[in-house]
Each structure stands twice: as structure tokens, then as C-alpha cells.
Amino acid sequence: MVSATGDYFAATGRTGFHPEVAVTFTVAEDRHHHVPLLLSPYAFCTYRGS
């Protein structure tokens, strides 16, 4: 999953440190997955949601 965070910040008139965020994960079960991306101009965090 790749998020174009630089484009997002540019569209909102702000500057960010990461131009894009790539999150690589394995889907081990055939079911719905929720992978939140928490984003600030200089940091990001992701986790497996419920």
C-alpha cells in the first residue's frame, strides 16, 4: 500500500517530510483488513486495526 503523502500535504498548503509512505504487509487470512495510517507532517504510524 503506497500513500502519496507529499501530494496530500501540498494540496493542503503544508510541507511534509515523507513524500510517500509505503506499507508492506502479508494477508494470511481471506478476510477484511483495516490498516490505518496515522499521519503528521514529520511522522507516520500504522497498525493492524480490528
Side-chain angles (χ1 to χ4, degrees), residues 4-24:
T5 56
D7 293 345
Y8 167 77
F9 283 119
T12 59
R14 295 182 288 171
T15 301
F17 183 70
H18 302 282
E20 70 178 23
V21 173
V23 179
T24 305

Side-chain angles (χ1 to χ4, degrees), residues 29-34 48 50:
E29 301 170 2
D30 186 21
R31 60 181 221 181
H32 177 82
H33 286 77
H34 179 76
R48 180 180 171 192
S50 56

Side-chain angles (χ1 to χ4, degrees), residues 3-6 37-38 49:
S3 297
T5 56
L37 175 63
L38 306 175

